[in-house]
C-alpha cells in the first residue's frame, strides 16, 4: 500500500518558514504605539482625523492621516490579542508578501531556483524593516501590483480593470501607492515601445492605456483626503532636514561589514553586466531609480528586494539559470505545484504553534513599552497623579506617550510637525546649537523630559539649574523642573 505524504508547494513552504522566523521577533517600534492609538480614535469616532488631537505642540493643526485604513487593522489586531496580535499580523503580512514573490517567480517569471533566490533576497532586505506598522501591510499589494503591471507592459495591453479598486484600497493603506502609479506609467511606456517596434502604435492602441491611467488617478483620489493624499510622497521627500535626523531615512552605512543591500546590489549588477539581459529600457530606468532611492534612504531597500525579482526575474532565468542551472532546476521542478488540503492543515497547525508557543522572546515586543511605563509612572507619582505639564521627549518615545494618554512634544508624524520644527528639535536633542535646548525649555514652559539615556540633552539637564534627574534606567532618563516657570522670550 502506497502512502502519499501531504504535498506542500514551494510558495506555501516559503510563507510558512518566513512566518515562523518572524513571529517571535520584536515587531513593536516607537511609531507602532501612535498608529494603534490612531486606529482606536478612528474606530471610536467613526471618522478619520483631519486635525491633530494627540500632541500639544501641533494641537488642532491640519493632519493628513493617509494610513488610516492600516491603523484600523493594527488596532483590531491589538484589541484582539495585544502585542502578540500585532506581531502575528506583521509576520503574516510579511510572509504573504515574500510567499507572493516566490509564487510570482515560479508561475510567471522563471524557475524554482530563481523563486528561492528571490524569496531569500526579499526576506534579507525586508527583515531590517520588519515592524508592526502600515508599510509592512503594503508589501504584498506592492509585489502583486508590480507583477500585474510587468505582465501588462510585456503584453502591450492594460491590466484587468479589477486592479483599479485594488489601488484605491492601497491608497488608504499606505503612501507607497504613489509608486503604484509610477509602475503603471512605466508599464504603459514599455507597452508603447513594444507596439512601436511592431509597427502597431496608434491612437486606438494607446486609448485603453490612457483610460486605465485616468482610472488609476481617480482611484488614487478615492481617499478621505483627495489630492492631499497623493501629494504626501512629494512632501515627504522634500523634508531633507528631517530625513537627515530620522535613522530609517538616512543612507545605509556600509562601514560595519557586508550589508545585505550591498550584497544583493552587487549580485544584480554582476548578473546584468556579465551577460546582457534582454530587458526593455523602462525596466532599466526602474532599476536605476530603485538603486538611487535605496542608496539615499535605507528603508527603500525593501523596494529593491520586492521589485527587482518581478521585473528582472524572467531575463535572469533565461540568461543564466536556464543555461547553467539545469541540474538544479531538474531537481526542484519535481516540487509539487499545489498544496494539498492536508498540507494546508499541517502548515496552519505549525503556524499556530509558533504564534502561541511561550518562548522567551514572546515578551520582548512590549519591553520597550513597559520600560517607558515605569518612567511615566515615576512622573505621575511626582505630580501626585495630576497633570505633570508639557514634556520634552525623545522622538522615538512620542508614540508611546500618545499611547499612554500624554500629549508629546514630538512623535513620528514628521509631516505634521514640519521640516523646520523637526530640525529645531534635533538641534536641541543633540546640542548642535548651544541655545536650542534652553530656548525650547523656556518657550514651551517644559516641566519634565523623557529622553534616551545616551541623549546629549539628558546629559546637559543633569547640570542645568532648577532641574533634577527623577528616574533613569539603561534606556530612558526623566528630568523634572523644580524652579518656577521661566518667562517666555
Amino acid at each position: 500500500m502506497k502512502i502519499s505524504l501531504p504535498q506542500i508547494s514551494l510558495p506555501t513552504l516559503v510563507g510558512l518558514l518566513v512566518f515562523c522566523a518572524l513571529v517571535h521577533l520584536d515587531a513593536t517600534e516607537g511609531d507602532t504605539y501612535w498608529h494603534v492609538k490612531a486606529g482606536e480614535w478612528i474606530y471610536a469616532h467613526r471618522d478619520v482625523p483631519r486635525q491633530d488631537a494627540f500632541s500639544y505642540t501641533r494641537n488642532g493643526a491640519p493632519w493628513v492621516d493617509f494610513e488610516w485604513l492600516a491603523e484600523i487593522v493594527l488596532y483590531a489586531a491589538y484589541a484582539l490579542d495585544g502585542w502578540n496580535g500585532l506581531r502575528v499580523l506583521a509576520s503574516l503580512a510579511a510572509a504573504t508578501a515574500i510567499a507572493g514573490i516566490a509564487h510570482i517567480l515560479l508561475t510567471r517569471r522563471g524557475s524554482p531556483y530563481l523563486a528561492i533566490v528571490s524569496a531569500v533576497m526579499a526576506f534579507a532586505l525586508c527583515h531590517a524593516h520588519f515592524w508592526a506598522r502600515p508599510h509592512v501591510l503594503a508589501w504584498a499589494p506592492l509585489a502583486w501590483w508590480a507583477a500585474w503591471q510587468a505582465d501588462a507592459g510585456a503584453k502591450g495591453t492594460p491590466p484587468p480593470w479589477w486592479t483599479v479598486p485594488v489601488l484605491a484600497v492601497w491608497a488608504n493603506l499606505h503612501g507607497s501607492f504613489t509608486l503604484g502609479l509610477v509602475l503603471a506609467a512605466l508599464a504603459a511606456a514599455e507597452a508603447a515601445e513594444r507596439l512601436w517596434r511592431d509597427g502597431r502604435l496608434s491612437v486606438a492602441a494607446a486609448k485603453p492605456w490612457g483610460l486605465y491611467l485616468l482610472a488609476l488617478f481617480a482611484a488614487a483620489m478615492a481617499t478621505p483626503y483627495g489630492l492631499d493624499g497623493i501629494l504626501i510622497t512629494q512632501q515627504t521627500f522634500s523634508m531633507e532636514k528631517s530625513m537627515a535626523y530620522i535613522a530609517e531615512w538616512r543612507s545605509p552605512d556600509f562601514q560595519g561589514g557586508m550589508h545585505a543591500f550591498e550584497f544583493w546590489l552587487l549580485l544584480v549588477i554582476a548578473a546584468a553586466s556579465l551577460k546582457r539581459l534582454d530587458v526593455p529600457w523602462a525596466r532599466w530606468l526602474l532599476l536605476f531609480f530603485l538603486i538611487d532611492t535605496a542608496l539615499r534612504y535605507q528603508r527603500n531597500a525593501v523596494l529593491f528586494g520586492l521589485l527587482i525579482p518581478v521585473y528582472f526575474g524572467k531575463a535572469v532565468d533565461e540568461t543564466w539559470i536556464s543555461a547553467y542551472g539545469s541540474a538544479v532546476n531538474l531537481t526542484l521542478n519535481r516540487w509539487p505545484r499545489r498544496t494539498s488540503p492536508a498540507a494546508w492543515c499541517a502548515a496552519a497547525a505549525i503556524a499556530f504553534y509558533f504564534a502561541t508557543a511561550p518562548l522567551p522572546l514572546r515578551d520582548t515586543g512590549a519591553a520597550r513599552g513597559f520600560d517607558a511605563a515605569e518612567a511615566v509612572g515615576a512622573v505621575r507619582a511626582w505630580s501626585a497623579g495630576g497633570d505633570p505639564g508639557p514634556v520634552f521627549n525623545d522622538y522615538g518615545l512620542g508614540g508611546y506617550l500618545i499611547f499612554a494618554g500624554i500629549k508629546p512634544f514630538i512623535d513620528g508624524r514628521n509631516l505634521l510637525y514640519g521640516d523646520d520644527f523637526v530640525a529645531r528639535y534635533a538641534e536641541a536633542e543633540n546640542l548642535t546649537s548651544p541655545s536650542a535646548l534652553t530656548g525650547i525649555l523656556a518657550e514651551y514652559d517644559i516641566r519634565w523630559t523623557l529622553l534616551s539615556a545616551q541623549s546629549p540633552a539628558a546629559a546637559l539637564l543633569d547640570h542645568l539649574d532648577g532641574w533634577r534627574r527623577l528616574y533613569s534606567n539603561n534606556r530612558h532618563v526623566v528630568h523634572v523642573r523644580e524652579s518656577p516657570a521661566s518667562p517666555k522670550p
Side-chain angles (χ1 to χ4, degrees):
M1 178 179 178
K2 184 178 180 181
I3 300 177
S4 59
L5 296 176
Q7 294 185 325
I8 184 169
S9 67
L10 179 59
T12 304
L13 180 61
V14 167
L16 180 62
L17 292 176
V18 171
F19 178 84
C20 295
L22 294 178
V23 75
H24 287 296
L25 297 181
D26 183 355
T28 59
E29 186 261 352
D31 287 349
T32 303
Y33 293 101
W34 74 258
H35 280 303
V36 170
K37 200 66 177 178
E40 181 185 37
W41 189 98
I42 295 168
Y43 178 78
H45 292 80
R46 300 299 194 273
D47 196 6
V48 297
R50 302 180 188 277
Q51 295 178 324
D52 175 47
F54 296 126
S55 76
Y56 73 87
T57 51
R58 284 295 182 269
N59 187 44
W63 177 31
V64 178
D65 187 15
F66 57 94
E67 298 167 321
W68 68 272
L69 184 58
E71 288 164 353
I72 292 178
V73 177
L74 291 170
Y75 171 65
Y78 177 79
L80 184 64
D81 194 22
W83 302 114
N84 292 339
L86 288 169
R87 186 184 294 112
V88 170
L89 172 66
S91 302
L92 184 61
T96 301
I98 297 173
I101 292 291
H103 179 80
I104 291 167
L105 269 294
L106 191 64
T107 60
R108 305 186 183 193
R109 299 291 184 272
S111 64
Y113 180 73
L114 182 63
I116 293 174
V117 173
S118 299
V120 171
M121 173 183 177
F123 178 82
L125 296 180
C126 291
H127 179 269
H129 303 280
F130 172 70
W131 305 110
R133 284 169 47 186
H135 69 271
V136 175
L137 303 184
W139 286 351
L142 173 60
W144 281 103
W145 184 266
W148 297 332
Q149 300 304 321
D151 286 345
K155 294 175 182 176
T157 56
W161 281 94
W162 57 260
T163 60
V164 174
V166 172
L167 185 76
V169 174
W170 187 6
N172 291 279
L173 195 69
H174 187 255
S176 59
F177 76 95
T178 54
L179 178 59
L181 295 175
V182 173
L183 296 179
L186 284 176
E190 181 180 338
E193 179 194 11
R194 292 183 183 276
L195 292 172
W196 178 76
R197 286 191 302 182
D198 296 340
R200 296 185 293 116
L201 184 61
S202 63
V203 174
K207 184 179 178 179
W209 276 104
L211 293 175
Y212 180 74
L213 293 177
L214 286 175
L216 289 185
F217 184 78
M221 293 278 289
T223 73
Y225 305 101
L227 183 61
D228 288 338
I230 298 178
L231 297 177
I232 284 293
T233 300
Q234 182 273 328
Q235 295 169 4
T236 298
F237 286 103
S238 67
M239 299 186 66
E240 297 180 357
K241 299 175 185 176
S242 301
M243 290 186 169
Y245 173 74
I246 302 171
E248 64 181 343
W249 285 109
R250 296 176 192 159
S251 299
D253 183 5
F254 299 112
Q255 293 294 323
M258 178 64 76
H259 193 279
F261 172 65
E262 179 186 6
F263 172 81
W264 291 106
L265 174 60
L266 293 175
L267 190 63
V268 168
I269 292 175
S273 59
L274 295 179
K275 272 185 174 285
R276 183 180 181 276
L277 300 181
D278 185 15
V279 176
W281 67 268
R283 301 195 182 193
W284 287 115
L285 187 63
L286 177 63
L287 173 63
F288 298 149
F289 167 76
L290 292 175
I291 292 175
D292 175 72
T293 191
L295 290 175
R296 288 175 183 267
Y297 317 109
Q298 58 181 305
R299 65 174 285 170
N300 284 348
V302 171
L303 304 180
F304 188 91
L306 294 176
L307 297 183
I308 291 300
V310 174
Y311 281 92
F312 289 84
K314 185 175 182 180
V316 170
D317 179 69
E318 293 174 346
T319 304
W320 285 99
I321 299 178
S322 296
Y324 302 104
S326 57
V328 176
N329 283 325
L330 182 62
T331 302
L332 293 176
N333 277 327
R334 298 173 182 171
W335 206 300
R337 294 286 170 167
R338 293 184 178 181
T339 300
S340 67
W344 275 118
C345 293
I350 294 171
F352 180 79
Y353 170 77
F354 274 85
T356 58
L359 297 181
L361 290 177
R362 289 293 290 167
D363 296 330
T364 60
R368 184 177 295 126
F370 289 144
D371 202 358
E374 294 177 1
V376 170
V379 172
R380 285 175 170 157
W382 167 75
S383 62
D387 182 11
V391 59
F392 180 77
N393 60 275
D394 180 89
Y395 178 90
L397 290 172
Y400 176 75
L401 290 177
I402 291 175
F403 187 83
I406 297 174
K407 293 182 184 242
F409 181 88
I410 194 172
D411 57 79
R413 299 170 297 161
N414 57 312
L415 282 172
L416 169 68
Y417 292 96
D419 209 24
D420 291 336
F421 186 92
V422 176
R424 186 185 178 195
Y425 163 81
E427 289 179 350
E429 198 270 335
N430 292 319
L431 300 183
T432 53
S433 176
S435 61
L437 177 61
T438 54
I440 284 178
L441 295 178
E443 179 180 349
Y444 290 93
D445 192 23
I446 303 298
R447 304 299 301 177
W448 62 287
T449 67
L450 174 60
L451 298 169
S452 165
Q454 290 74 40
S455 168
L460 178 60
L461 284 164
D462 283 331
H463 305 283
L464 282 183
D465 291 338
W467 289 86
R468 72 176 176 90
R469 181 177 289 216
L470 176 72
Y471 171 90
S472 64
N473 57 33
N474 61 346
R475 300 192 63 175
H476 306 139
V477 178
V478 173
H479 288 83
V480 295
R481 191 176 73 190
E482 297 190 321
S483 62
S486 304
K488 295 182 180 180

